[in-house]
Each structure stands twice: as C-alpha cells, then as structure tokens.
Amino acid sequence: MVKFRLLAAFCLFVVLCFVMPLVAMSLFGQIPQDFFVVPRSPPAYAYMRFSWPLAVVYWACVIGLVYFWWSKYIRNFSLPIQVPAASRDRQLQHQWPRWGYVALVFWLFFWIVVWNRFSWCANLQEFTYIPLWFSFIFCLNACLQYRTGKCPLINESLFYGALFFVSAFIWWGFEYFNLFVHSWWYPRASPDFISFFISSTLSFASVLPALYAMQKLLASFPRLHDRLRGPSVKGRWSSFSAALCLLLAAMAFFLVSLWPQYFYAYLWLGPLCIWFPLARLLKIESFFPGLRQGDWRELLCWAFAGLLCGFCWEMWNSLSWVQWHYSTPYLEGLKIFEMPLAGYIGYLPFGVECAIATIWLRKLFT
C-alpha cells in the first residue's frame, strides 16, 4: 500500500507540475511553433534586468531570515541532538582509498581540460564537462570513505546507480520548466538534438548522486551537523487545508507560463509547494519526521549540499567551452561566475527537492 501511494503521488505530481503550465498556455495564449525546440535560444521578451527596490526587499528578506534563524536556533544551541557515537568520533581512523587517488587525478586533469582549449581535444571539448563531474562524484565518495569508512558508491551500489537515472529524469523536468521561463540557455550547445540529448542526459545524471554524496559528507561533520536546529513543526494539516494549498500551488503554475518574467522563481519553489500538501492528502509519512522535534539536520544538509554543488557547477561553467547563461529579470545585478548572486538562493530549495526524490526512491527500494 505504501509503494502504491508513492507511485500515485508521483503520477499526480507529474500531472500537476508539468501539465498545468502547458494547459494555461493553451487556454490563455498560443503555444509557439518552436516551443519544444531544444537547446533554447536567449529569451525574446523584454524586461528590466535589475530593480533596486526589488533587490533591496529580496535581500532584506533573505538576510533577515538567516539572522533570525541563526540567533534563535543555532547561535545559542546548547542541547545537542543524540547522534550515533561513531559519527561523534572526530579522529579520522580510515585510510584514503586507493581509487580515491585515481579519482583526484582525473578530477584535476579534466578541470584543467575544461578551463583550457587544447588543440588535441578540440573535437571533444563539448563533452569534457561530463568526466569532470563524474570524477568529482568519485572524489566525494572517497572523502566519505575516508571520514566514515563507507560510501554510497560501495555500500549502496544498486541504489546509488538508480540515482543516476532518476537524476537525468529530474533535470530534464527542469529543462521542460525552462521552456516557459527561459531562465537559462546554452549558446554553444550542439544544434543536433540527438547529440545535445545524449551529452545533456549524461551531465544531468550526475546531479543527484553528487548532492547525495555531498549531503552525507556534510553530515559527517558533527560540529556542523549537530547545530542544524530549527522550529518544531508539530501542526497537522486538515484534508481541506491540504487540498486548498495543493489547488493554489497548482494554479500558481498558470502564472509561470503566462507571466514568466514575474513568476520565474516559482520554478524552484513550485515542486515543494505541490509535494507537501499532496503527500498529506495521500497520507504519506513525512520524509523529514525530525522536524516535529526541531531536528532540521537532514533537510538543511540537503539544502546546503544543493548550494555547494551549485557553486561548483557555476565555477566550472564560468570558463568552460560549453557554457550556460542566465536570465533573471529584475535581479541580475552582481554575478558570481555566470550566475547572478540572487540566483544562488534557488539552489537551497532545489537541494530539498533532490532530497524528496532520493527518499521517495529509497522507500520504493525497501
């Protein structure tokens, strides 16, 4: 019954997230002839690139929330959450695996190749980003093996392998969302769809495994991990409240397709707004049960993993040959690499969405 509910939730989730924007565009506008053409070209609509009033409000909310959370739940933290004794052992008693040295060599080698234009690999420059990210995943697993004595690559091989397939599916879903909002594009991508699809799918497959390993690596640091507290989420939704929230969240996707320059941020928040009330209606057990006791460790580790991996993506993208560029109306302002500073906040909910996908898959495996 649990697996049936999980599959039902997945089907409804896909319909609400992916069909609603297309329905809105069909009802209130005309679907362009080149709508499903990928890779995307730069956005055609005109918009204000930067708005001081909106930027001030945006960063005031972000900084205010961070300060409130830090001062109330983290700075004065004094009652540590009980964690296994093994995770509190700060003495690293494990050796760096031999395959980890190979991974480091490949990682550094392809980092150099991606950021340079060597003539001997000119014809393969488009594909050099793929081995860079896969070798990075091996390095993260080697770090885990060194710190904890185990890693997903070895101890969860079947499940970890499945994450690669799920990861490709997830990011192609975001590419579908991008058809509506034009938030990013690939100016040097191959015009041949088959070549673009293969190279992109291989790149997209590395996202979720990297976040999963990064999340576990962050959790291996007790001084950081133990302090990730937050408010206790003890309230229970009524079915009516959950249904109303789900309806409003689904309707919000209409706004994304109709006014993308104003509601493009919902691209990152929408899946969460859909999932939580949907899970409540289908009586699916919370994926983050620790929130009831104020234990935000798992959720925040995933969010920070998304931010850290996102920073690495943007750093390597900045000097790579096959780049992607961003369009963030009203908030383009200061950039770190190709990503506007305000855009990095989107990696936090994205990390949580990856957590939900990973936990969902694990529940199907068990």
PDB file of all heavy atoms in Angstrom, residues 182-205:
ATOM      1  N   HIS A 182      12.462  30.553 -19.725  1.00  0.00           N
ATOM      2  CA  HIS A 182      13.690  30.972 -20.409  1.00  0.00           C
ATOM      3  C   HIS A 182      14.729  31.493 -19.421  1.00  0.00           C
ATOM      4  O   HIS A 182      15.370  32.521 -19.650  1.00  0.00           O
ATOM      5  CB  HIS A 182      13.382  32.063 -21.445  1.00  0.00           C
ATOM      6  CG  HIS A 182      12.546  31.602 -22.587  1.00  0.00           C
ATOM      7  ND1 HIS A 182      13.010  31.599 -23.877  1.00  0.00           N
ATOM      8  CD2 HIS A 182      11.277  31.138 -22.641  1.00  0.00           C
ATOM      9  CE1 HIS A 182      12.063  31.159 -24.691  1.00  0.00           C
ATOM     10  NE2 HIS A 182      11.011  30.865 -23.945  1.00  0.00           N
ATOM     11  N   SER A 183      14.913  30.805 -18.313  1.00  0.00           N
ATOM     12  CA  SER A 183      15.852  31.286 -17.296  1.00  0.00           C
ATOM     13  C   SER A 183      17.300  30.999 -17.641  1.00  0.00           C
ATOM     14  O   SER A 183      18.196  31.660 -17.128  1.00  0.00           O
ATOM     15  CB  SER A 183      15.513  30.661 -15.932  1.00  0.00           C
ATOM     16  OG  SER A 183      14.374  31.265 -15.379  1.00  0.00           O
ATOM     17  N   TRP A 184      17.549  30.013 -18.485  1.00  0.00           N
ATOM     18  CA  TRP A 184      18.925  29.728 -18.885  1.00  0.00           C
ATOM     19  C   TRP A 184      18.927  29.161 -20.298  1.00  0.00           C
ATOM     20  O   TRP A 184      17.913  28.665 -20.795  1.00  0.00           O
ATOM     21  CB  TRP A 184      19.598  28.760 -17.908  1.00  0.00           C
ATOM     22  CG  TRP A 184      18.986  27.392 -17.840  1.00  0.00           C
ATOM     23  CD1 TRP A 184      19.256  26.308 -18.640  1.00  0.00           C
ATOM     24  CD2 TRP A 184      17.975  26.954 -16.932  1.00  0.00           C
ATOM     25  NE1 TRP A 184      18.500  25.230 -18.276  1.00  0.00           N
ATOM     26  CE2 TRP A 184      17.694  25.595 -17.231  1.00  0.00           C
ATOM     27  CE3 TRP A 184      17.274  27.565 -15.886  1.00  0.00           C
ATOM     28  CZ2 TRP A 184      16.747  24.846 -16.533  1.00  0.00           C
ATOM     29  CZ3 TRP A 184      16.339  26.834 -15.190  1.00  0.00           C
ATOM     30  CH2 TRP A 184      16.082  25.484 -15.513  1.00  0.00           C
ATOM     31  N   TRP A 185      20.078  29.252 -20.931  1.00  0.00           N
ATOM     32  CA  TRP A 185      20.213  28.721 -22.283  1.00  0.00           C
ATOM     33  C   TRP A 185      21.667  28.348 -22.522  1.00  0.00           C
ATOM     34  O   TRP A 185      22.555  28.725 -21.766  1.00  0.00           O
ATOM     35  CB  TRP A 185      19.720  29.727 -23.326  1.00  0.00           C
ATOM     36  CG  TRP A 185      20.539  30.970 -23.457  1.00  0.00           C
ATOM     37  CD1 TRP A 185      21.567  31.206 -24.325  1.00  0.00           C
ATOM     38  CD2 TRP A 185      20.414  32.160 -22.674  1.00  0.00           C
ATOM     39  NE1 TRP A 185      22.087  32.456 -24.135  1.00  0.00           N
ATOM     40  CE2 TRP A 185      21.392  33.077 -23.140  1.00  0.00           C
ATOM     41  CE3 TRP A 185      19.567  32.557 -21.636  1.00  0.00           C
ATOM     42  CZ2 TRP A 185      21.555  34.333 -22.588  1.00  0.00           C
ATOM     43  CZ3 TRP A 185      19.725  33.815 -21.095  1.00  0.00           C
ATOM     44  CH2 TRP A 185      20.696  34.692 -21.570  1.00  0.00           C
ATOM     45  N   TYR A 186      21.897  27.581 -23.590  1.00  0.00           N
ATOM     46  CA  TYR A 186      23.224  27.048 -23.905  1.00  0.00           C
ATOM     47  C   TYR A 186      23.661  27.595 -25.266  1.00  0.00           C
ATOM     48  O   TYR A 186      23.317  27.034 -26.304  1.00  0.00           O
ATOM     49  CB  TYR A 186      23.193  25.521 -23.945  1.00  0.00           C
ATOM     50  CG  TYR A 186      22.582  24.887 -22.710  1.00  0.00           C
ATOM     51  CD1 TYR A 186      21.219  24.570 -22.659  1.00  0.00           C
ATOM     52  CD2 TYR A 186      23.349  24.613 -21.590  1.00  0.00           C
ATOM     53  CE1 TYR A 186      20.656  23.985 -21.531  1.00  0.00           C
ATOM     54  CE2 TYR A 186      22.802  24.030 -20.465  1.00  0.00           C
ATOM     55  CZ  TYR A 186      21.450  23.722 -20.444  1.00  0.00           C
ATOM     56  OH  TYR A 186      20.899  23.152 -19.321  1.00  0.00           O
ATOM     57  N   PRO A 187      24.413  28.682 -25.280  1.00  0.00           N
ATOM     58  CA  PRO A 187      24.738  29.324 -26.560  1.00  0.00           C
ATOM     59  C   PRO A 187      25.609  28.490 -27.485  1.00  0.00           C
ATOM     60  O   PRO A 187      25.574  28.684 -28.704  1.00  0.00           O
ATOM     61  CB  PRO A 187      25.459  30.617 -26.136  1.00  0.00           C
ATOM     62  CG  PRO A 187      25.976  30.339 -24.763  1.00  0.00           C
ATOM     63  CD  PRO A 187      24.987  29.405 -24.128  1.00  0.00           C
ATOM     64  N   ARG A 188      26.407  27.564 -26.935  1.00  0.00           N
ATOM     65  CA  ARG A 188      27.313  26.776 -27.772  1.00  0.00           C
ATOM     66  C   ARG A 188      26.910  25.315 -27.849  1.00  0.00           C
ATOM     67  O   ARG A 188      27.700  24.474 -28.284  1.00  0.00           O
ATOM     68  CB  ARG A 188      28.746  26.882 -27.238  1.00  0.00           C
ATOM     69  CG  ARG A 188      29.352  28.265 -27.378  1.00  0.00           C
ATOM     70  CD  ARG A 188      30.730  28.307 -26.766  1.00  0.00           C
ATOM     71  NE  ARG A 188      31.354  29.613 -26.930  1.00  0.00           N
ATOM     72  CZ  ARG A 188      32.492  29.975 -26.355  1.00  0.00           C
ATOM     73  NH1 ARG A 188      33.148  29.112 -25.584  1.00  0.00           N
ATOM     74  NH2 ARG A 188      32.994  31.179 -26.546  1.00  0.00           N
ATOM     75  N   ALA A 189      25.709  25.012 -27.443  1.00  0.00           N
ATOM     76  CA  ALA A 189      25.264  23.612 -27.489  1.00  0.00           C
ATOM     77  C   ALA A 189      25.119  23.152 -28.933  1.00  0.00           C
ATOM     78  O   ALA A 189      24.857  23.950 -29.847  1.00  0.00           O
ATOM     79  CB  ALA A 189      23.935  23.469 -26.763  1.00  0.00           C
ATOM     80  N   SER A 190      25.292  21.871 -29.131  1.00  0.00           N
ATOM     81  CA  SER A 190      25.168  21.306 -30.472  1.00  0.00           C
ATOM     82  C   SER A 190      23.757  21.505 -31.003  1.00  0.00           C
ATOM     83  O   SER A 190      22.780  21.230 -30.300  1.00  0.00           O
ATOM     84  CB  SER A 190      25.503  19.808 -30.437  1.00  0.00           C
ATOM     85  OG  SER A 190      25.218  19.215 -31.688  1.00  0.00           O
ATOM     86  N   PRO A 191      23.616  21.994 -32.241  1.00  0.00           N
ATOM     87  CA  PRO A 191      22.275  22.166 -32.815  1.00  0.00           C
ATOM     88  C   PRO A 191      21.579  20.842 -33.117  1.00  0.00           C
ATOM     89  O   PRO A 191      20.360  20.801 -33.302  1.00  0.00           O
ATOM     90  CB  PRO A 191      22.543  22.962 -34.095  1.00  0.00           C
ATOM     91  CG  PRO A 191      23.959  22.645 -34.448  1.00  0.00           C
ATOM     92  CD  PRO A 191      24.671  22.442 -33.159  1.00  0.00           C
ATOM     93  N   ASP A 192      22.380  19.774 -33.157  1.00  0.00           N
ATOM     94  CA  ASP A 192      21.799  18.452 -33.394  1.00  0.00           C
ATOM     95  C   ASP A 192      21.161  17.946 -32.108  1.00  0.00           C
ATOM     96  O   ASP A 192      21.840  17.803 -31.085  1.00  0.00           O
ATOM     97  CB  ASP A 192      22.886  17.483 -33.866  1.00  0.00           C
ATOM     98  CG  ASP A 192      22.341  16.080 -34.068  1.00  0.00           C
ATOM     99  OD1 ASP A 192      21.403  15.913 -34.849  1.00  0.00           O
ATOM    100  OD2 ASP A 192      22.851  15.157 -33.403  1.00  0.00           O
ATOM    101  N   PHE A 193      19.854  17.661 -32.153  1.00  0.00           N
ATOM    102  CA  PHE A 193      19.140  17.298 -30.941  1.00  0.00           C
ATOM    103  C   PHE A 193      19.668  16.006 -30.331  1.00  0.00           C
ATOM    104  O   PHE A 193      19.783  15.894 -29.105  1.00  0.00           O
ATOM    105  CB  PHE A 193      17.641  17.153 -31.223  1.00  0.00           C
ATOM    106  CG  PHE A 193      16.872  16.653 -30.033  1.00  0.00           C
ATOM    107  CD1 PHE A 193      16.610  17.488 -28.959  1.00  0.00           C
ATOM    108  CD2 PHE A 193      16.432  15.334 -29.971  1.00  0.00           C
ATOM    109  CE1 PHE A 193      15.916  17.041 -27.853  1.00  0.00           C
ATOM    110  CE2 PHE A 193      15.736  14.868 -28.862  1.00  0.00           C
ATOM    111  CZ  PHE A 193      15.484  15.730 -27.802  1.00  0.00           C
ATOM    112  N   ILE A 194      19.993  15.016 -31.148  1.00  0.00           N
ATOM    113  CA  ILE A 194      20.463  13.730 -30.622  1.00  0.00           C
ATOM    114  C   ILE A 194      21.756  13.913 -29.842  1.00  0.00           C
ATOM    115  O   ILE A 194      21.910  13.408 -28.716  1.00  0.00           O
ATOM    116  CB  ILE A 194      20.659  12.711 -31.755  1.00  0.00           C
ATOM    117  CG1 ILE A 194      19.329  12.462 -32.502  1.00  0.00           C
ATOM    118  CG2 ILE A 194      21.192  11.396 -31.188  1.00  0.00           C
ATOM    119  CD1 ILE A 194      18.236  11.907 -31.633  1.00  0.00           C
ATOM    120  N   SER A 195      22.692  14.670 -30.415  1.00  0.00           N
ATOM    121  CA  SER A 195      23.961  14.920 -29.723  1.00  0.00           C
ATOM    122  C   SER A 195      23.725  15.703 -28.441  1.00  0.00           C
ATOM    123  O   SER A 195      24.313  15.385 -27.397  1.00  0.00           O
ATOM    124  CB  SER A 195      24.898  15.694 -30.654  1.00  0.00           C
ATOM    125  OG  SER A 195      26.087  16.038 -29.983  1.00  0.00           O
ATOM    126  N   PHE A 196      22.864  16.721 -28.514  1.00  0.00           N
ATOM    127  CA  PHE A 196      22.564  17.524 -27.320  1.00  0.00           C
ATOM    128  C   PHE A 196      21.880  16.674 -26.260  1.00  0.00           C
ATOM    129  O   PHE A 196      22.189  16.792 -25.067  1.00  0.00           O
ATOM    130  CB  PHE A 196      21.658  18.700 -27.716  1.00  0.00           C
ATOM    131  CG  PHE A 196      21.194  19.520 -26.549  1.00  0.00           C
ATOM    132  CD1 PHE A 196      22.044  20.405 -25.921  1.00  0.00           C
ATOM    133  CD2 PHE A 196      19.891  19.398 -26.071  1.00  0.00           C
ATOM    134  CE1 PHE A 196      21.622  21.171 -24.839  1.00  0.00           C
ATOM    135  CE2 PHE A 196      19.460  20.152 -24.989  1.00  0.00           C
ATOM    136  CZ  PHE A 196      20.326  21.040 -24.371  1.00  0.00           C
ATOM    137  N   PHE A 197      20.977  15.803 -26.678  1.00  0.00           N
ATOM    138  CA  PHE A 197      20.246  14.970 -25.725  1.00  0.00           C
ATOM    139  C   PHE A 197      21.185  14.010 -25.002  1.00  0.00           C
ATOM    140  O   PHE A 197      21.109  13.859 -23.778  1.00  0.00           O
ATOM    141  CB  PHE A 197      19.147  14.191 -26.442  1.00  0.00           C
ATOM    142  CG  PHE A 197      18.392  13.253 -25.546  1.00  0.00           C
ATOM    143  CD1 PHE A 197      17.382  13.720 -24.729  1.00  0.00           C
ATOM    144  CD2 PHE A 197      18.697  11.899 -25.512  1.00  0.00           C
ATOM    145  CE1 PHE A 197      16.674  12.866 -23.889  1.00  0.00           C
ATOM    146  CE2 PHE A 197      18.006  11.036 -24.671  1.00  0.00           C
ATOM    147  CZ  PHE A 197      16.993  11.524 -23.869  1.00  0.00           C
ATOM    148  N   ILE A 198      22.088  13.378 -25.742  1.00  0.00           N
ATOM    149  CA  ILE A 198      22.997  12.407 -25.130  1.00  0.00           C
ATOM    150  C   ILE A 198      23.953  13.089 -24.153  1.00  0.00           C
ATOM    151  O   ILE A 198      24.107  12.658 -22.995  1.00  0.00           O
ATOM    152  CB  ILE A 198      23.778  11.647 -26.209  1.00  0.00           C
ATOM    153  CG1 ILE A 198      22.828  10.773 -27.039  1.00  0.00           C
ATOM    154  CG2 ILE A 198      24.874  10.787 -25.580  1.00  0.00           C
ATOM    155  CD1 ILE A 198      23.488  10.088 -28.211  1.00  0.00           C
ATOM    156  N   SER A 199      24.596  14.157 -24.604  1.00  0.00           N
ATOM    157  CA  SER A 199      25.562  14.838 -23.731  1.00  0.00           C
ATOM    158  C   SER A 199      24.871  15.454 -22.527  1.00  0.00           C
ATOM    159  O   SER A 199      25.393  15.411 -21.403  1.00  0.00           O
ATOM    160  CB  SER A 199      26.317  15.913 -24.513  1.00  0.00           C
ATOM    161  OG  SER A 199      25.435  16.901 -25.011  1.00  0.00           O
ATOM    162  N   SER A 200      23.667  16.017 -22.738  1.00  0.00           N
ATOM    163  CA  SER A 200      22.941  16.630 -21.626  1.00  0.00           C
ATOM    164  C   SER A 200      22.465  15.583 -20.637  1.00  0.00           C
ATOM    165  O   SER A 200      22.547  15.791 -19.416  1.00  0.00           O
ATOM    166  CB  SER A 200      21.744  17.432 -22.154  1.00  0.00           C
ATOM    167  OG  SER A 200      22.160  18.488 -22.980  1.00  0.00           O
ATOM    168  N   THR A 201      21.978  14.463 -21.125  1.00  0.00           N
ATOM    169  CA  THR A 201      21.493  13.414 -20.237  1.00  0.00           C
ATOM    170  C   THR A 201      22.610  12.879 -19.359  1.00  0.00           C
ATOM    171  O   THR A 201      22.419  12.652 -18.154  1.00  0.00           O
ATOM    172  CB  THR A 201      20.860  12.269 -21.046  1.00  0.00           C
ATOM    173  OG1 THR A 201      19.748  12.780 -21.808  1.00  0.00           O
ATOM    174  CG2 THR A 201      20.357  11.167 -20.128  1.00  0.00           C
ATOM    175  N   LEU A 202      23.788  12.695 -19.933  1.00  0.00           N
ATOM    176  CA  LEU A 202      24.924  12.222 -19.144  1.00  0.00           C
ATOM    177  C   LEU A 202      25.309  13.259 -18.083  1.00  0.00           C
ATOM    178  O   LEU A 202      25.656  12.906 -16.951  1.00  0.00           O
ATOM    179  CB  LEU A 202      26.107  11.930 -20.060  1.00  0.00           C
ATOM    180  CG  LEU A 202      25.961  10.704 -20.977  1.00  0.00           C
ATOM    181  CD1 LEU A 202      27.136  10.613 -21.935  1.00  0.00           C
ATOM    182  CD2 LEU A 202      25.838   9.433 -20.153  1.00  0.00           C
ATOM    183  N   SER A 203      25.260  14.533 -18.460  1.00  0.00           N
ATOM    184  CA  SER A 203      25.568  15.581 -17.478  1.00  0.00           C
ATOM    185  C   SER A 203      24.511  15.646 -16.386  1.00  0.00           C
ATOM    186  O   SER A 203      24.818  15.735 -15.196  1.00  0.00           O
ATOM    187  CB  SER A 203      25.665  16.941 -18.181  1.00  0.00           C
ATOM    188  OG  SER A 203      26.706  16.963 -19.129  1.00  0.00           O
ATOM    189  N   PHE A 204      23.245  15.575 -16.787  1.00  0.00           N
ATOM    190  CA  PHE A 204      22.144  15.655 -15.824  1.00  0.00           C
ATOM    191  C   PHE A 204      22.162  14.466 -14.864  1.00  0.00           C
ATOM    192  O   PHE A 204      21.728  14.579 -13.719  1.00  0.00           O
ATOM    193  CB  PHE A 204      20.799  15.701 -16.544  1.00  0.00           C
ATOM    194  CG  PHE A 204      20.622  16.879 -17.471  1.00  0.00           C
ATOM    195  CD1 PHE A 204      19.630  16.876 -18.441  1.00  0.00           C
ATOM    196  CD2 PHE A 204      21.456  17.983 -17.379  1.00  0.00           C
ATOM    197  CE1 PHE A 204      19.463  17.954 -19.290  1.00  0.00           C
ATOM    198  CE2 PHE A 204      21.295  19.067 -18.236  1.00  0.00           C
ATOM    199  CZ  PHE A 204      20.296  19.048 -19.195  1.00  0.00           C
ATOM    200  N   ALA A 205      22.662  13.324 -15.331  1.00  0.00           N
ATOM    201  CA  ALA A 205      22.686  12.130 -14.486  1.00  0.00           C
ATOM    202  C   ALA A 205      23.615  12.278 -13.291  1.00  0.00           C
ATOM    203  O   ALA A 205      23.485  11.538 -12.307  1.00  0.00           O
ATOM    204  CB  ALA A 205      23.113  10.915 -15.313  1.00  0.00           C
TER     205      ALA A 205
END
